[in-house]
Amino acid sequence: MKFFVDTAEIDAIAELNDLGMVDGVTTNPSLIKKSGRDIIEVTKEICDLVDGPVSAEVTATDAETMIAEGRKLVEIAENIAVKVPLTWDGLKACKSLTDDGHMVNVTLCFSANQALLAAKAGASFISPFIGRLDDINLDGMEIIEDIRTIYDNYGFETEILAASIRSVNHILDSARIGADVITAPPAVIKAMVNHPLTDKGLDAFLADIKAADIKIL
Ligand code: G3P
């Protein structure tokens, strides 16, 4: 499973990247706003840091302008994936940009049928938003399962990028189902290390190290 980091914060990306945990990065207008940085500038910095795909989202809602924005975004670096919303115009932009050989991430996906359309339009990644479905009392994981089944039934190569990940359980469930990629905030990825028995076990070992005055260096 690939790990993308869902942030435009350079320091957080760098910390995880140094550990080999970063296979890519996803940004969106809200994350760019949160960073307080210029989209082109911060996206270039991320692309320089990370080897894998870096998603940068268009701002337009009509296909023609999305395509023009996508063409400008891909000039930033070779590893840009243009992010377009799952609208009819977004699908048109997806088809055009993928036909030109660019990576496209189709975002704001909330149904398996939408994901099917994105695959037909040649999307490199489909981003179903798990957390936002859970927020309205639907089962975000169910859509990941449905998309996995549908893509496998027909051999679609579009990668399932589980997004709007809010908890470590979202990551575990996505891995169980076989999502190709998760994109999660750095804090959620780091939280995967936590286990109370690890803390308890380490405390016991530390007590014995002290009691027996065990030294290595
Ligand atoms: O990758 C999409 C993500 O940024 C949305 O997450 O938590 O705002 O629903 P959230």
Side-chain angles (χ1 to χ4, degrees):
M1 163 175 269
K2 286 182 255 186
F3 277 15
F4 287 4
V5 196
D6 200 25
T7 186
E9 306 295 332
I10 299 288
D11 289 352
I13 297 167
E15 185 192 4
L16 289 167
N17 196 44
D18 287 347
L19 283 176
M21 303 271 179
V22 179
D23 300 301
V25 171
T26 51
T27 66
N28 62 36
S30 306
L31 294 171
I32 296 293
K33 176 174 173 262
K34 197 171 162 200
S35 77
R37 306 272 314 270
D38 171 73
I39 182 172
I40 304 291
E41 196 184 282
V42 73
T43 306
K44 175 149 182 36
E45 227 170 289
I46 297 169
C47 288
D48 288 345
L49 192 64
V50 168
D51 286 334
V54 174
S55 291
E57 191 158 340
V58 298
T59 64
T61 54
D62 66 287
E64 197 184 332
T65 317
M66 280 189 222
I67 293 164
E69 288 183 338
R71 286 187 182 140
K72 177 158 182 194
L73 289 171
V74 297
E75 279 173 11
I76 295 174
E78 274 184 4
N79 51 337
I80 284 286
V82 180
K83 211 170 176 188
V84 300
L86 215 158
T87 58
W88 203 248
D89 278 71
L91 293 174
K92 283 185 193 169
C94 172
K95 178 79 173 89
S96 167
L97 290 163
T98 52
D99 280 353
D100 287 348
H102 305 303
M103 287 187 285
V104 175
N105 176 357
V106 180
T107 188
L108 290 169
C109 171
F110 294 95
S111 80
N113 269 343
Q114 288 181 319
L116 180 51
L117 289 176
K120 298 286 285 180
S124 320
F125 301 100
I126 183 67
S127 291
F129 276 30
I130 299 168
R132 292 192 196 185
L133 284 164
D134 289 353
D135 286 345
I136 58 162
N137 293 330
L138 295 173
D139 184 353
M141 258 333 132
E142 213 172 82
I143 183 182
I144 304 289
E145 268 179 32
D146 285 348
I147 300 169
R148 181 74 283 154
T149 302
I150 292 166
Y151 282 7
D152 288 350
N153 280 349
Y154 299 101
F156 286 116
E157 285 177 9
T158 301
E159 292 190 57
I160 302 173
L161 199 174
S164 186
I165 295 259
R166 307 271 178 78
S167 71
V168 293
N169 286 338
H170 279 156
I171 298 179
L172 181 60
D173 289 340
S174 297
R176 281 193 179 121
I177 293 166
D180 301 285
V181 194
I182 54 99
T183 188
V188 177
I189 293 175
K190 289 175 80 174
M192 292 169 75
V193 79
N194 297 335
H195 199 291
L197 290 180
T198 304
D199 297 340
K200 193 178 166 195
L202 185 58
D203 284 348
F205 288 152
L206 288 173
D208 289 341
I209 287 166
K210 197 172 172 198
D213 195 24
I214 300 170
K215 286 197 175 73
I216 296 171
L217 297 175

